[in-house]
């Protein structure tokens, strides 16, 4: 049973979201404000569904603090329509994905399910991917660059692993979005760009290995 932390101050929305997630078989803890989310004890949630518009704290700040407190959790921020700045700030604060309000029940189920399935496949047989100075251990989910360990967030790791799986091949943006985020994905790819930017920062001198292929996607080359 997956354990979810729902952070939502709106009673009606929270009740509907919780009902759907419980119907999907998940265990849901519901924090109605930022203080309650930070005070949430017990084991780290597998996934946090975080409404960015909260009465007591700035949603982006809270996202950053939850990311520190729960490095392994998938964080999905929920934002009001047309709030692009919120989305980008949320992703930069450590969120793995976002949903736009009003969140449809089917989309909620599909997206949460996809994230949890991916998180579940982390416990696989030991496998290693190595391209140039980048080495990914898929079992321990550790990344090293030129023998230096680099701490990657869940989706950064998955994205780098996907690019490492086909070195020298330009991978389409749509392919990356559907394989790393959501098989039913459609629409904006800014989540992808924010994660690539973060990866490049963390790769340091090896960032040149990731090439932007205009109008197509990204390619990882053994030598930058
Ligand atoms: Ca709210």
């Amino acid at each position: 049973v997956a354990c979810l932390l729902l952070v939502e101050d709106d009673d009606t929305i929270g009740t509907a979201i919780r009902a759907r997630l419980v119907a999907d078989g998940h265990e849901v803890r519901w924090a109605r404000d930022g203080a309650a989310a930070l005070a949430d004890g017990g084991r780290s949630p597998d996934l946090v569904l975080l409404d960015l518009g909260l009465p007591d704290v700035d949603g982006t700040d809270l996202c950053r603090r939850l990311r520190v407190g729960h490095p392994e959790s998938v964080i999905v921020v929920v934002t009001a329509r047309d709030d692009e700045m919120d989305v980008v700030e949320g992703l930069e604060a450590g969120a793995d994905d976002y949903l736009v309000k009003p969140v449809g029940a089917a989309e909620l189920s599909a997206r949460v399910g996809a994230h949890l399935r991916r998180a579940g496949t982390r416990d696989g047989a030991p496998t290693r991917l190595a391209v140039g100075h980048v080495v990914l251990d898929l079992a321990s989910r550790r990344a090293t660059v030129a023998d230096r360990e680099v701490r990657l967030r869940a989706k950064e790791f998955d994205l780098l692993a996907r690019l490492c799986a086909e070195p020298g091949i330009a991978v389409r943006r749509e392919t990356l979005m559907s394989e790393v985020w959501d098989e039913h994905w459609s629409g904006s790819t800014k989540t992808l760009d924010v994660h690539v930017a973060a990866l490049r920062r963390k790769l340091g001198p090896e960032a040149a290995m990731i090439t932007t292929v205009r109008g197509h996607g990204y390619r990882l080359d053994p030598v930058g």
Side-chain angles (χ1 to χ4, degrees):
V1 176
C3 169
L4 276 56
L5 175 61
L6 168 65
V7 188
E8 171 63 69
D9 60 304
D10 186 294
D11 243 2
T12 309
I13 295 172
T15 301
I17 289 179
R18 181 173 62 176
R20 178 67 188 213
L21 295 174
V22 167
D24 287 342
H26 308 308
E27 178 193 318
V28 180
R29 302 198 295 258
W30 182 3
R32 285 174 171 75
D33 55 29
L38 289 170
D40 178 75
R43 71 169 166 123
S44 267
D46 298 299
L47 185 143
V48 180
L49 202 58
L50 170 62
D51 175 29
L52 287 178
L54 293 168
D56 60 334
V57 293
D58 176 76
T60 307
D61 277 349
L62 179 60
C63 182
R64 203 169 284 119
R65 295 175 68 179
L66 289 172
R67 170 49 71 210
V68 172
H70 306 295
E72 302 294 323
S73 304
V74 174
I75 300 182
V76 178
V77 292
V78 182
T79 177
R81 192 167 285 286
D82 293 332
D83 235 339
E84 288 229 342
M85 275 318 291
D86 266 13
V87 169
V88 172
E89 283 176 12
L91 292 167
E92 286 176 347
D96 300 293
D97 196 6
Y98 69 95
L99 286 165
V100 175
K101 283 186 177 181
V103 182
E107 186 189 10
L108 176 73
S109 281
R111 201 74 78 84
V112 167
H115 280 299
L116 293 174
R117 275 193 300 282
R118 288 215 173 75
T121 57
R122 284 174 204 171
D123 316 315
T127 322
R128 204 163 152 278
L129 279 173
V131 178
H133 293 300
V134 174
V135 177
L136 300 180
D137 185 316
L138 301 180
S140 65
R141 294 189 57 89
R142 295 173 82 162
T144 54
V145 177
D147 295 326
R148 166 179 64 96
E149 180 158 5
V150 179
R151 290 180 62 94
L152 299 179
R153 282 155 38 192
K155 291 296 170 188
E156 292 166 359
F157 186 94
D158 294 340
L159 175 59
L160 187 56
R162 180 60 186 81
L163 290 172
C164 282
E166 289 186 287
I169 305 286
V171 186
R172 298 186 67 85
R173 305 173 66 82
E174 293 77 9
T175 303
L176 293 168
M177 283 306 297
S178 66
E179 292 186 12
V180 177
W181 276 271
D182 181 355
E183 65 262 44
H184 305 299
W185 167 87
S186 68
S188 161
T189 53
K190 60 177 159 291
T191 300
L192 175 61
D193 298 318
V194 171
H195 279 75
V196 168
L199 259 184
R200 283 180 166 145
R201 280 196 298 276
K202 292 182 180 182
L203 289 178
E206 308 300 321
M209 290 171 72
I210 301 179
T211 298
T212 304
V213 184
R214 294 229 169 270
H216 187 89
Y218 293 98
R219 186 183 71 230
L220 185 88
D221 293 311
V223 180

